[in-house]
Amino acid sequence: MRRVRLKFVGGLEIEFVDRDKAIEQINEIAERGTYPVYVVYGPEGCGKTALFKQAREILEEHNYNVIYANPLAEDREELLDYTPAIRDLVREVLRSFPDPYSRIIDAAINIASQVVKRMRKPRVAVLMDDVFQAVGLDNAEKYVKTLLNLIEHPPGDYENIVVIVSSSEGITRKRIGRHSWATLRILWNMSRKGFRELYDKLPGTKPRFRDAWRATGGNPRYLGLLYRANWDTESLVKDIVESKDLEELVKGLNPLETRILQESLEDPDTLFEKYPETKTLIDKLVERNLVIRLWDRNEWLWIDTPPPEKDPGLGIGRHYAWQTPLHREAVRKALETLHGQGTSP
Ligand SMILES: Nc1ncnc2c1ncn2[C@@H]1O[C@H](COP(=O)(O)OP(=O)(O)O)[C@@H](O)[C@H]1O
Ligand SMILES: [Mg+2]
């Protein structure tokens, strides 16, 4: 299998590393197709898009016609990508939309139907990246249902069909998990071994590996951002506080919630049914993509290897985890700004 080359920060290109288990899982998916729709979610920057790009390669090696859409992509050519063999069909479908690039998800679904309709028992794969953020959570369910329809009521015969959607929206599970239309899988940050491989590929002066690992918890995007920020962790934490409006969040908490939040910096499982008040707090933290509920470590729930059962240093508990240690530091900083160091509200 060819490993794809991916854009990292600062014009750096890096070959897809590690994720052997995920690659094996994509190979299995290619053999049997997906039913129902697969929804992959995980921390921001954990590598969902990278995995989709590698999945496209794997699926094409299994003779799939792959349609990849990323409505949030900055470059036009990254909005839609597809197996060259279906180029004419794609162009024809795009021409039938007045402004296809503003409705890239609909266009992609349309292309997939046309492939099923016109080709003889094809293998088709639809990879939809960051869709929920693009269509809004209210439409997320509708799109998943439309994609399920493509599997269940195709406009023609297919040999196999694969539909995978990614999301970094915290409330994905709440919204999608209650339907039988989709099956959810979590992709976590990279393992220490995979992260080491990525770290080793970065040129120039670097902090000790241990420090990079402790700061990012194996998150490849934050490794890139730290690299670009000359390893200035403080400035990155400040960026998170600002971009997620964390001081506003902290201001809106009542004294008990504030105390629970403070405790959850040490142990995120504090959030787990410890007090009834945690429910609204959890929702706020999940919605802002600060913590993720991990449920359990059952193999079927994960793409690639799950995080360890507990790693207090990285902010990983049995039931809940901080998306990365940097997210946790950002919350700590917001709490300190408003309530002072170590003091109770
Ligand atoms: N397995 C990997 N090998 C090499 N680079 C990776 C890998 N996973 C992620 N990256 C890089 O890390 C950055 C963040 O990953 P990305 O896939 O964009 O995260 P997400 O889509 O989950 O937000 C990107 O630059 C991506 O190319
Ligand atoms: Mg992405």
Side-chain angles (χ1 to χ4, degrees), residues 174-187:
K174 211 167 164 186
R175 283 298 182 89
I176 302 299
R178 61 185 179 194
H179 297 297
S180 54
W181 306 338
T183 174
L184 276 92
R185 298 283 187 278
I186 312 178
L187 178 71

Side-chain angles (χ1 to χ4, degrees), residues 33-199:
T34 52
Y35 183 86
V37 172
Y38 271 51
V39 174
V40 176
Y41 81 113
E44 307 171 308
C46 71
K48 296 175 291 295
T49 297
L51 181 65
F52 269 27
K53 292 194 169 161
Q54 185 60 48
R56 173 193 168 173
E57 186 68 26
I58 299 169
L59 289 160
E60 285 184 346
E61 285 174 15
H62 285 266
N63 296 317
Y64 274 81
N65 298 287
V66 181
I67 301 133
Y68 166 87
N70 184 349
L72 297 183
E74 279 161 24
D75 307 331
R76 211 171 210 225
E77 63 263 32
E78 300 235 333
L79 279 172
L80 182 72
D81 204 357
Y82 48 86
T83 306
I86 58 170
R87 177 173 294 130
D88 290 345
L89 190 151
V90 170
R91 288 190 175 153
E92 194 188 315
V93 172
L94 292 184
R95 274 198 302 272
S96 72
F97 282 80
D99 181 13
Y101 288 98
S102 69
R103 289 180 54 202
I104 207 65
I105 303 170
D106 296 315
I109 295 173
N110 202 303
I111 291 164
S113 320
Q114 291 302 321
V115 169
V116 172
K117 199 162 165 180
R118 297 202 223 162
M119 293 174 83
R120 236 184 107 251
K121 294 203 87 186
R123 292 184 167 197
V124 192
V126 183
L127 306 177
M128 295 264 183
D129 211 352
D130 264 325
V131 173
F132 302 153
Q133 209 178 330
V135 300
L137 277 156
D138 290 336
N139 290 317
E141 289 157 291
K142 186 187 96 189
Y143 274 99
V144 171
K145 187 73 187 7
T146 307
L147 288 164
L148 181 65
N149 257 330
L150 188 64
I151 303 177
E152 285 187 327
H153 309 290
D157 279 349
Y158 60 72
E159 190 187 310
N160 242 334
I161 192 159
V162 166
V163 181
I164 313 178
V165 172
S166 87
S167 166
S168 47
E169 286 300 311
I171 33 190
T172 301
R173 171 166 283 271
K174 211 167 164 186
R175 283 298 182 89
I176 302 299
R178 61 185 179 194
H179 297 297
S180 54
W181 306 338
T183 174
L184 276 92
R185 298 283 187 278
I186 312 178
L187 178 71
W188 194 246
N189 297 317
M190 302 183 82
S191 69
R192 199 179 161 101
K193 170 184 153 284
F195 188 73
R196 170 99 223 186
E197 256 183 79
L198 191 58
Y199 165 92

